Amino acid sequence: MTDLIVPAAEREAPAFEEIVRLMLVELGENPERDGLVKTPERVEKSMRWLTRGYAMSVAEVIGDAVFEEDHHNMVIVKDIEMYSMCEHHMLPFFGKVHIAYIPDGKIVGLSKLPRVVEVFARRLQVQERLTEQVASAIMDVLRPQGVGVVIEAAHLCMMMRGVEKQNSKTVTSAMKGIFREDLRTRDEFLRLVTGGSLV
């Protein structure tokens, strides 16, 4: 018989706050001391906020903000602030997202593109998957001629632990449609958002 994943509400497991208390004890702290008494409650609220993307969907955040429009030139929204949590160490990574698409009869309200980023960034993530998810979501919703997404981010799992390199930056890209097929289109996008090309 195949093992099934039991929903959290049906599992007999310690409450979130109790798990945080146990973590504090394992770290050698006293969860009853003045500064830590409310820490389990705060951590639960914080983690649920930081991972609220699990309760969001692309359809929900875009709503009815897709419009018929005869525009066939590149649309770019750049320098979108992004904050996410690395799924390997549960430490933050943060940076900027640059999105471009070339419409094919439909455009989307510009404020909706940062909201699409939030849907996927506010989950436990890896940057590579996040980049692909944002690009794929825009392709699915708009069916444009193409989509390009570039993310530049700093990862605290590299800065605070492990190699402890403070100035490193990770750059990932996802190209769909004409952005993948046409070198000139891709280079124009990369030049406009990064000042050069990604090799």
Side-chain angles (χ1 to χ4, degrees):
M1 183 175 175
T2 307
D3 290 335
L4 298 175
I5 297 174
V6 180
E10 298 173 19
R11 286 200 304 263
E12 288 187 17
F16 199 116
E17 290 184 29
E18 182 57 27
I19 293 169
V20 177
R21 282 191 195 90
L22 292 171
M23 287 174 59
L24 291 171
V25 171
E26 287 297 316
L27 293 171
E29 267 291 358
N30 173 14
E32 301 306 319
R33 75 173 172 83
D34 195 39
L36 291 176
V37 170
K38 292 191 175 180
T39 293
E41 177 187 347
R42 293 188 188 106
V43 170
E44 177 174 6
K45 287 179 180 176
S46 173
M47 288 302 294
R48 294 199 188 282
W49 173 257
L50 294 172
T51 60
R52 66 190 185 278
Y54 290 117
M56 301 164 70
S57 73
V58 173
E60 219 172 52
V61 299
I62 288 183
D64 60 358
V66 175
F67 310 101
E68 301 288 334
E69 188 65 45
D70 186 25
H71 180 82
H72 299 284
N73 294 305
M74 194 179 300
V75 177
I76 300 177
V77 178
K78 60 183 286 188
D79 296 330
I80 300 167
E81 290 181 9
M82 178 277 301
Y83 301 93
S84 193
M85 296 279 286
C86 163
E87 69 180 33
H88 299 146
H89 301 100
M90 291 180 70
L91 287 171
F93 66 96
F94 55 93
K96 294 179 178 179
V97 181
H98 314 296
I99 299 173
Y101 72 96
I102 297 179
D104 192 15
K106 293 180 180 178
I107 60 170
V108 66
L110 295 178
S111 69
K112 301 302 182 182
L113 295 178
R115 292 184 187 280
V116 171
V117 172
E118 283 287 284
V119 169
F120 298 108
R122 295 300 189 167
R123 303 177 182 187
L124 298 181
Q125 273 289 9
V126 294
Q127 185 175 330
E128 297 87 341
R129 183 195 309 133
L130 172 59
T131 311
E132 183 68 26
Q133 286 175 328
V134 171
S136 294
I138 297 166
M139 280 296 285
D140 290 344
V141 168
L142 290 181
R143 300 291 176 193
Q145 296 179 55
V147 172
V149 176
V150 170
I151 299 181
E152 306 172 74
H155 292 246
L156 289 191
C157 58
M158 288 180 65
M159 298 166 71
M160 291 181 67
R161 57 162 299 285
V163 293
E164 296 187 47
K165 298 302 180 188
Q166 304 305 307
N167 298 309
S168 62
K169 186 182 286 186
T170 301
V171 181
T172 50
S173 68
M175 304 294 167
K176 307 283 186 184
I178 197 170
F179 285 84
R180 175 183 285 275
E181 297 155 8
D182 187 338
L183 180 62
R184 290 176 304 173
T185 301
R186 182 166 65 251
D187 281 351
E188 179 186 356
F189 166 52
L190 295 174
R191 188 174 65 254
L192 289 170
V193 300
T194 68
S197 295
L198 295 180
V199 178

